Amino acid sequence: MIGVRDLVVSYGTATALDHVTLTVEAGEMVALLGPNGAGKSTLANTLAGLLTPASGTVEIGGRLALIPEGRQLFPDMSVADNLALGGWRSGERDPSYAYDLLPRLAELSRRRAGVLSGGEQQMVAFGRALMSRPAVLVVDELSLGLAPNVTADLAGHLAGLNRERGLTVLLIEQNARLAFDLCRRAYVLESGRVVTEGECAELAGDPRVAGAYLGGAIT
Amino acid sequence: MSAFLTYLLNGLAVGCAIALIAGGLVVIHRVTGVVNFAQGTFAVVAGLCVSSLLGLGLPHGVSEVAAVLVAALAGLLTGLAAVGRRGTTPLSSLIVTLGVGVLAYAVEIVLWGDQPRSAPGLAGAVTLAGARIQTQHLLVIGVTAAVFALLALFFGRTYLGKALTACASNPYAARVVGIDTRLMGLLAFALGGLLGGIAGVLVTPLRPISFDTDVTLIVNAFAAAVFGALTRPVVTLAGALLLGVAETMAAGYGYGSHQLEVALGLMIVVMIVQAGRRPAISQEQT
């Protein structure tokens, strides 16, 4: 699970997260929506332990893995090496662990990560995160820059892992349709604050949310 | 013809010593993104140490290993100063390494004085196809070959070696997967110190070392490392051998006072060619 309470994170004098409180129960898949600059990636990096909070508490039940925004692979290394390094924390160095979960990766294993397509790179980033055998997965912008069919494929794998293995997922997205399809609950972050939260079905009916994130189509 | 062969073999030995120091530059740059201008210092420290230890009556082998370990420690300390604080930019770290080099002058002069020191190496010479080559030169070539083979295995085949490379390739991603980039940087500096130390121990019997010998060493090593774009050990080795041979030939055929200019000239040519071939600066920033 993820338990965030009154979290404040600052860059110098600028406050990126302002008293954020958020909970993801074990086995749950929750979405975090918000525009650019809302503090979504700051939250992701704080959950991953890469940023130190100014105040507040972060509680993670089990090992957390992050699929960072922009994939962030090791471009000059092979896919297999990228995956093996994903197992730094877990000690799982055999990439076949990831191949079992994401079979497409086995075909790419010897390719250099930097030359792959965006969708393939996201798949490698996904596999690399799974190599740490996480209990909690934070996905920062799964769909960014990817074709809809590629996104759907990745989302299918994500939903499968959540359903079948009980993987706890925080899905950070700008694509609200995708988030609402995959998750039951969502938080909306704007300017570092949680402005609204609730069941996706209700949020989709909220005129403000629909207007900002669904292009007003639902209202 | 035999003179040519002699120059060639001697040049290869000189190139090997350059390659070891350049190898240290490459290892440190690969992992931390920092150009370590204190790299020549590690060789000087090891050279001065080995001359003292042998002077104290310690046996060969023990003295050399101890001197190399002192150089590795010097590398680790330089690393602590240069990359020990999280968030130091590579450029700031570069300035720190320059500072460490200057500070090292003071320490070396206090400990060893300002006169050049030498140390006995392997005595004797062998004749290969009519060319005479000092046994110490052969030792330099053999040790360098072994060291580079081990380096290639370490970085290409071992998990730790790949983790070290990952830190340079994408420091943020390395932290995402849980690699302690600061620790890896320190390890790289210690490894750089070790390589510099091996070079110093091997070179001291061939040419006297004083506190400021590091300038000649670093200029040559930097030229070779730039040849390998500061990231590729094997190309760096090739560059260093080329440089060693070119300098020795220049000296052998009567242009002895222009050795350093050969290195500088080659470095400039290589930099111009590489700058035209790929965006070296933006490549480093990623």
Side-chain angles (χ1 to χ4, degrees):
Chain A
M1 52 75 85
I2 301 174
V4 173
R5 180 169 283 278
D6 270 334
L7 182 68
V8 177
V9 178
S10 321
Y11 299 108
T13 54
T15 305
L17 292 177
D18 188 4
H19 296 281
V20 168
T21 296
L22 168 155
T23 311
V24 182
E25 298 298 338
E28 201 183 10
M29 184 148 149
V30 171
L32 178 70
L33 301 172
N36 278 332
K40 303 190 299 295
S41 293
T42 301
L43 180 62
N45 285 321
T46 308
L47 292 174
L50 303 177
L51 291 172
T52 311
S55 66
T57 57
V58 173
E59 204 186 327
I60 312 284
R63 187 181 286 121
L64 178 141
L66 168 66
I67 302 179
E69 185 180 356
R71 322 339 160 193
Q72 303 286 350
L73 301 179
F74 304 113
D76 291 328
M77 293 192 196
S78 69
V79 168
D81 282 348
N82 268 276
L83 294 172
L85 285 170
W88 183 262
R89 283 196 180 98
S90 62
E92 176 63 74
R93 294 175 189 182
D94 183 358
S96 47
Y97 177 74
Y99 302 155
D100 287 343
L101 298 170
L102 304 167
R104 172 92 179 88
L105 287 177
E107 300 163 32
L108 302 172
S109 68
R110 300 176 70 89
R111 303 268 304 276
R112 256 187 52 210
V115 303
L116 301 177
S117 71
E120 288 167 337
Q121 289 195 2
Q122 188 66 290
M123 184 76 86
V124 176
F126 196 170
R128 188 179 67 182
L130 295 176
M131 286 292 288
S132 71
R133 294 176 177 258
V136 180
L137 184 64
V138 176
V139 188
D140 196 355
E141 303 285 6
L142 181 76
S143 70
L144 195 70
L146 300 183
N149 61 331
V150 176
T151 304
D153 181 36
L154 289 165
H157 283 295
L158 193 59
L161 284 163
N162 169 252
R163 203 171 45 236
E164 287 151 26
R165 295 182 171 246
L167 183 67
T168 306
V169 179
L170 178 65
L171 180 68
I172 299 175
E173 264 294 337
Q174 291 202 45
N175 180 344
R177 274 177 209 289
L178 176 72
F180 289 170
D181 278 351
L182 287 171
C183 307
R184 198 177 54 81
R185 283 198 311 127
Y187 290 83
V188 179
L189 195 66
E190 281 177 14
S191 308
R193 293 163 180 267
V194 173
V195 291
T196 180
E197 60 177 282
E199 305 274 325
C200 290
E202 288 170 25
L203 288 176
D206 182 330
R208 285 178 307 156
V209 174
Y213 301 102
L214 298 169
I218 288 182
T219 50
Chain B
M1 188 58 206
S2 76
F4 175 81
L5 202 58
T6 303
Y7 295 150
L8 181 68
L9 289 170
N10 287 345
L12 286 179
V14 171
C16 282
I18 296 171
L20 286 169
I21 299 174
L25 276 174
V26 168
V27 166
I28 291 172
H29 182 267
R30 247 174 98 118
V31 177
T32 63
V34 176
V35 179
N36 174 32
F37 277 104
Q39 187 63 30
T41 305
F42 305 153
V44 170
V45 165
L48 294 173
C49 270
V50 81
S51 79
S52 289
L53 293 173
L54 288 171
L56 287 173
L58 264 73
H60 275 295
V62 176
S63 304
E64 279 82 357
V65 169
V68 168
L69 290 179
V70 170
L73 182 66
L76 183 63
L77 292 175
T78 306
L80 273 173
V83 298
R85 240 193 77 214
R86 199 177 282 294
T88 313
T89 64
L91 201 58
S92 310
S93 300
L94 181 152
I95 306 291
V96 171
T97 65
L98 270 174
V100 167
V102 174
L103 177 69
Y105 277 13
V107 175
E108 286 155 11
I109 290 172
V110 167
L111 290 177
W112 286 287
D114 59 358
Q115 292 305 305
R117 285 167 160 255
S118 192
L122 279 182
V126 288
T127 307
L128 282 173
R132 270 178 66 76
I133 178 165
Q134 292 181 46
T135 321
Q136 180 73 19
H137 276 149
L138 286 180
L139 180 70
V140 175
I141 295 174
V143 169
T144 307
V147 166
F148 268 81
L150 285 175
L151 272 184
L153 279 177
F154 177 64
F155 278 103
R157 297 261 180 259
T158 69
Y159 196 56
L160 183 60
K162 284 172 184 171
L164 280 163
T165 307
C167 294
S169 169
N170 188 336
Y172 170 71
R175 293 183 64 207
V176 165
V177 300
I179 297 171
D180 185 340
T181 49
R182 187 175 151 271
L183 194 66
M184 292 290 151
L186 294 179
L187 189 62
F189 266 91
L191 193 54
L194 193 83
L195 290 170
I198 294 173
V201 163
L202 288 171
V203 160
T204 308
L206 295 171
R207 51 164 297 178
I209 292 268
S210 63
F211 70 96
D212 58 356
T213 309
D214 71 311
V215 176
T216 333
L217 295 175
I218 192 73
V219 168
N220 280 298
F222 191 62
V226 164
F227 194 71
L230 282 164
T231 48
R232 297 161 70 188
V234 178
V235 186
T236 299
L237 176 62
L241 294 179
L242 187 71
L243 199 58
V245 170
E247 284 187 14
T248 312
M249 293 281 174
Y253 290 108
Y255 302 99
S257 52
H258 299 302
Q259 276 183 322
L260 201 57
E261 284 80 351
V262 170
L264 288 169
L266 199 70
M267 185 161 76
I268 290 170
V269 170
V270 167
M271 279 176 146
I272 291 171
V273 169
Q274 285 196 337
R277 217 178 50 198
R278 65 188 187 87
I281 300 297
S282 64
Q283 196 92 6
E284 274 177 29
Q285 295 296 327
T286 53

